[in-house]
Amino acid sequence: MGFPIEFFPILFSIPRMAGYLSHWRESLDDPDTKIMRPAQVYTGIWERHYTPPKERMISREEDKLGQVSISNATRRRLAGSGV
């Protein structure tokens, strides 16, 4: 498009700023919305011994994912989509 290289940081930051501000404003409207990255705490098994693929079971209890709570934003999105 012919922009000088010095303009690149500005050209990339302006659209992102609009997105950041819209996320911030949405977080003010709905406190249950987790727009910003929440703190993550690992609750899995710390040390596992290697098992060759041929000896592995198809499904083990520690490999199953736990239930994740649904936010209000997700509930509204699902309600509007007819799922």
Side-chain angles (χ1 to χ4, degrees), residues 7-73:
F7 287 8
F8 283 11
I10 302 298
L11 291 173
F12 294 130
S13 63
I14 289 174
R16 285 188 179 202
M17 185 56 72
Y20 292 151
L21 289 174
S22 65
H23 287 285
W24 172 73
R25 187 166 184 186
E26 185 178 339
S27 70
L28 293 178
D29 293 340
D30 187 5
D32 288 338
T33 303
K34 301 259 193 256
I35 298 289
M36 308 309 171
R37 218 174 267 224
Q40 298 178 3
V41 178
Y42 180 71
T43 58
I45 299 170
W46 284 101
E47 185 177 333
R48 293 188 190 189
H49 298 288
Y50 179 76
T51 306
K54 292 180 181 178
E55 297 176 14
R56 295 180 192 172
M57 298 176 68
I58 293 173
S59 176
R60 293 187 348 198
E61 189 62 36
E62 60 262 14
D63 290 335
K64 293 182 181 177
L65 295 175
Q67 291 291 324
V68 177
S69 61
I70 298 175
S71 69
N72 287 337

